[in-house]
């Protein structure tokens, strides 16, 4: 279970705290178990800082706390604060990454289920798509849907999201696909051959919708599989 620790402190020396964090990151390289750290400052009180540190589990957090480097930096942190920091330990019981969710729906319900009408709800009005395998590397929503529909109808691919990484407004996916060439694609008549391949896609989200995407997949490998390239 993911574990999160909130460190709440008051200090008039924010620069010193940043220096201590940099020192801790350098000193614990290859040892620390923390996976994510955020420091925020209270907009109504510039001396009030909160650090949020994420760990894979409580047990991993304890390993991190027991590092001598962590204890040393913590003592210096106390000295830099105007008062004793407070700690809140949380077991994460719900973790919803909303941008990941909308991308997952796009792949499962639009691409795999061919529910292209749903794309109108999941994408912004000014959506742009970039894919070197399409007619242009910069397509608007309507043209992107038309060309995607041709591919989906020709090969009936089933896309599998092997992994997803979200950072800021971006979601990047590692994708595999399998299908069969049962329809015409760019003038190539159906061969009824099975196809399979890999690819990556990155989505930029805005306001809970997909505003832009970049696709890279093994188009040459697919064409070889259906006999279009020798």
């Amino acid at each position: 279970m993911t574990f999160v620790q909130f460190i709440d402190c008051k200090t008039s020396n924010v620069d010193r705290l940043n220096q201590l964090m940099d020192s801790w990151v350098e000193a614990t390289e290859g040892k620390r178990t923390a996976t994510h750290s955020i420091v925020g400052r209270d907009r109504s009180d510039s001396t009030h800082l909160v650090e949020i540190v994420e760990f894979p589990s409580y047990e991993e957090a304890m390993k991190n706390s027991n590092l001598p480097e962590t204890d040393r930096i913590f003592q210096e942190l106390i000295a830099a604060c105007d008062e004793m920091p407070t700690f809140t330990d949380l077991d994460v019981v719900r973790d919803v990454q909303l941008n990941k969710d909308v991308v997952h729906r796009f792949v499962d319900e639009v691409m795999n289920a061919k529910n292209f009408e749903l794309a109108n709800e999941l994408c912004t009005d000014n959506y742009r798509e970039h894919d070197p395998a399409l007619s242009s590397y910069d397509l608007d929503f309507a043209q992107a849907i038309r060309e995607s529909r041709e591919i989906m109808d020709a090969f009936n691919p089933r896309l599998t999201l092997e992994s997803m990484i979200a950072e800021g407004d971006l979601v990047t996916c590692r994708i595999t696909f399998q299908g069969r060439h049962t329809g015409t694609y760019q003038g190539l008549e159906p061969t009824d051959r099975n196809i399979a391949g890999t690819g990556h896609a990155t989505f930029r989200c805005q306001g809970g919708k997909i505003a832009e995407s970049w696709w890279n997949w093994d188009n040459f490998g697919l064409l070889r599989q259906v006999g279009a390239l020798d």
Side-chain angles (χ1 to χ4, degrees):
M1 180 184 297
T2 302
F3 175 80
V4 175
Q5 187 172 70
F6 284 67
I7 306 171
D8 201 302
C9 60
K10 299 269 288 185
T11 181
S12 54
N13 193 350
V14 175
D15 289 341
R16 177 56 180 158
L17 256 65
N18 278 324
Q19 291 171 2
L20 288 172
M21 285 302 303
D22 290 340
S23 297
W24 178 78
V25 169
E26 181 179 355
T28 58
E29 185 173 359
K31 305 175 184 178
R32 63 179 176 270
T33 59
T35 57
H36 196 184
S37 175
I38 299 174
V39 177
R41 177 156 49 188
D42 191 337
R43 292 180 65 90
S44 62
D45 181 356
S46 62
T47 68
H48 179 204
L49 298 180
V50 177
E51 182 182 5
I52 306 169
V53 188
E54 181 178 307
F55 301 88
S57 66
Y58 173 78
E59 291 73 21
E60 292 299 314
M62 291 304 97
K63 291 179 184 178
N64 196 83
S65 295
N66 291 330
L67 292 173
E69 296 86 355
T70 299
D71 182 64
R72 175 175 60 82
I73 297 296
F74 176 64
Q75 297 304 321
E76 296 183 44
L77 173 74
I78 293 176
C81 289
D82 299 340
E83 56 190 54
M84 188 68 179
T86 61
F87 294 79
T88 303
D89 295 341
L90 301 174
D91 289 323
V92 176
V93 296
R94 180 178 170 86
D95 181 6
V96 180
Q97 299 189 45
L98 300 178
N99 286 344
K100 276 188 176 183
D101 282 356
V102 70
V103 169
H104 214 298
R105 288 194 66 195
F106 184 85
V107 171
D108 280 350
E109 300 180 39
V110 176
M111 306 296 285
N112 285 337
K114 297 185 181 180
N115 182 2
F116 292 101
E117 293 301 319
L118 180 63
N120 290 287
E121 300 177 23
L122 300 182
C123 298
T124 62
D125 293 338
N126 60 346
Y127 171 85
R128 308 298 297 185
E129 185 164 314
H130 312 284
D131 185 339
L134 299 182
S135 62
S136 170
Y137 190 64
D138 185 10
L139 298 180
D140 62 18
F141 177 81
Q143 186 64 24
I145 290 297
R146 280 193 292 269
E147 297 195 25
S148 295
R149 188 189 294 271
E150 179 188 10
I151 295 171
M152 305 309 285
D153 288 344
F155 297 104
N156 294 296
R158 177 75 184 181
L159 279 62
T160 300
L161 294 172
E162 301 292 350
S163 61
M164 301 175 71
I165 299 174
E167 183 173 352
D169 61 356
L170 298 178
V171 178
T172 295
C173 307
R174 182 172 59 89
I175 300 169
T176 58
F177 62 86
Q178 294 181 325
R180 183 183 293 271
H181 183 205
T182 58
T184 302
Y185 175 64
Q186 297 183 355
L188 181 64
E189 294 300 319
T191 62
D192 204 39
R193 293 185 182 182
N194 291 327
I195 57 101
T198 61
H200 288 82
T202 297
F203 301 83
R204 180 176 64 84
C205 297
Q206 179 181 341
K209 295 186 176 184
I210 299 172
E212 196 168 9
S213 66
W214 295 262
W215 296 78
N216 287 282
W217 50 289
D218 187 10
N219 189 45
F220 285 132
L222 183 150
L223 293 175
R224 275 194 292 268
Q225 290 175 63
V226 297
L229 297 176
D230 294 328

